[in-house]
Amino acid sequence: MATVGAARRLVPALGWLPNYRREDLRFDLIAGVSVAALVVPKALGYAGIAQVPLQNGLYAASAGALLYALFGTSRQISTGPSSALAAVAASAAITSGVAAGDETAQLVATVTIAAGLLFLLMAVFRMGWIAQFLSRAVITGFLFGAAIDVVVGEMAKISGTETDGENVWQEFHSWLGTIGDFHTASFVVGLVALAAILLLRFTVPKAPGALVLVVGGLVASNLFDLTGRGVATVGDVPRGLPLPMLPDLDIVTANGATIGIAALAIVLIGFSQTAGDARVFAGRHQYDIDVNQESVAQGVANAGAGVFQGMPVSTSLSASSLADASGARTGMASLVTGAMVLLTLLFLAPLFSDLPKPVLAVIIIDAVVFGMMDVPELRRLWRVKRADFWIALAAIVGVLSAGVLAGVVIGMMLSLAWVVYVSTHPAVAVLGREPGGSAFRDLALHPESETYPGVLVLGFNGGISFVTSDILEDRFRAAAHDPDNPLVAMVVDFGGVNFIDSQGSAQLGKLATAADEAGVSLRLARVQPDVLAVLEADGIAQALGEDRFHPNIDAAVTTELTTRN
């Protein structure tokens, strides 16, 4: 029984499939087919972003849907290729300099497998917290910049021209230089497709715009002989299923660093979205999810997609929302989606060969503009926390100037720099008593609060560690040298201090000694048990004396004033 229980924990489908209720099948079938109609055309577009053959996008879509259904714990989540991860994969291919075609496909598959392995390692060591390493501001900026990168890259397909450049600025400048060489037929097809998908998005938002565009593009291609008019098509899309294949060892050894950075970026971007979306649907339908198992599911889905020559996969919020709205009740909906994609590969894939490239470019542009450019979030950052807005803007500029993959590294550095800055600059406020009350408030916000001559009351919010240990002593010395208000007592509120290390404890001991030598009474209020334990172990608590520790600020100040009088 223990073995069966372990197997069900590892593969949750072993628990729900044998007990599947027939009454759920109708809802799951409708949801699965509906999501497949959305996923298939978008998978073609995402393959275009990743610069791999279009069928590879379908390989990933089927593997992601089928494997997530077996290993995931969410009943509504749909897993497949995404625009953001496709942009990361494409940047890895560009950075590595591999030749277009099979080598690019192999590199992208290798990145996908590496991401899958990282997901699995993250699950084994329960490191889901790593997904929080990139701040929301950095991710917002990174995705916005990556979307601009993709749009600029697709504009040449609409205009029927060729561009080059080492970054987005150069590529856009190169595109502007080709305006006089626009291919009229391609440009007209692109504009019509763009107008059509925007019209659908804003007038019939529930319509599957990408699917309508694919069907319309294929009909127009044959009806108006667009190929004969010089409009490029996506080329051969073969029928059939992929065979499992491991990447060439030479590609791995030659591009190890690039593969590693791209895989880490996929994990950081993909898992934060997956865990968040899974919690949303679980809360909405009142069931539990296992975040660690979600990491396993994403790991298996990516590893499987890579082995079957696909591209990176993650949660698709639009597809998951469609599954939910269509009535998905179990993971069977995802199995149906995967099966429908397989049937597409078996019977319909060659039909996509006549799809005009301008139409595919419009599908891609629509996906990234409305899926990755979060203008409302940028506005919110500007309104709520200006520093976060500038971090997001820096991430955008980094992507546009150095590329998507380098933008990930820049984003990591920005996140790390921000964490270091915040941790080394804890809030230290001068406090005053609320008139007629016992509460103490920040004087900068409440200047009407009462203060007492010679008594400095500080509120310290943050851990006292080797990077912050000097702050209290600096404030003490500044106050002690104020000739207009000689310092006689210093009260520090430790209610916001939840951590202190050995250096912080030693520095507090130095502060106590300096205060004693200057004839200043040092009192601590609301010291938390964990912090007090460190001070006792270091002898600081004993040196100060039990009478210098108080349950609240009011008690500390009252005791000081009473003692003086």
Side-chain angles (χ1 to χ4, degrees), residues 112-143:
T112 306
I113 294 172
L117 295 177
L118 282 181
F119 269 119
L120 293 175
L121 285 175
M122 191 168 69
V124 170
F125 294 104
R126 296 186 176 274
M127 295 173 62
W129 53 267
I130 199 172
Q132 300 173 3
F133 184 74
L134 286 181
S135 70
R136 176 76 177 269
V138 167
I139 291 178
T140 299
F142 166 78
L143 293 179

Side-chain angles (χ1 to χ4, degrees), residues 438-512:
S438 60
F440 279 74
R441 307 179 299 182
D442 188 344
L443 276 175
L445 300 176
H446 303 279
E448 73 280 3
S449 298
E450 298 175 353
T451 59
Y452 302 92
V455 179
L456 174 64
V457 182
L458 296 179
F460 192 102
N461 289 306
I464 299 180
S465 65
F466 66 96
V467 293
T468 60
S469 58
D470 293 333
I471 294 177
L472 285 177
E473 186 174 0
D474 291 344
R475 296 299 292 267
F476 163 75
R477 296 195 181 281
H481 291 86
D482 183 359
D484 298 328
N485 185 23
L487 187 66
V488 296
M490 178 173 170
V491 177
V492 184
D493 178 23
F494 266 51
V497 179
N498 58 7
F499 169 80
I500 187 170
D501 66 4
S502 60
Q503 186 167 328
S505 177
Q507 197 69 21
L508 190 61
K510 288 177 60 179
L511 172 61

Side-chain angles (χ1 to χ4, degrees), residues 222-312:
N222 289 279
L223 188 62
F224 299 107
D225 187 23
L226 295 182
T227 305
R229 297 176 185 274
V231 178
T233 60
V234 298
D236 181 48
V237 181
R239 175 189 290 115
L241 303 180
L243 295 175
M245 182 183 300
L246 291 177
D248 192 320
L249 186 59
D250 290 340
I251 286 184
V252 178
T253 55
N255 304 285
T258 299
I259 292 169
I261 294 173
L264 180 60
I266 288 166
V267 170
L268 292 175
I269 297 168
F271 185 71
S272 58
Q273 183 177 1
T274 295
D277 292 349
R279 286 193 180 100
V280 168
F281 292 112
R284 185 178 300 170
H285 296 281
Q286 302 298 307
Y287 64 86
D288 295 325
I289 58 132
D290 183 341
V291 174
N292 197 60
Q293 183 62 31
E294 288 300 300
S295 182
V296 172
Q298 291 299 317
V300 174
N302 274 280
V307 168
F308 284 97
Q309 305 173 46
M311 54 188 289

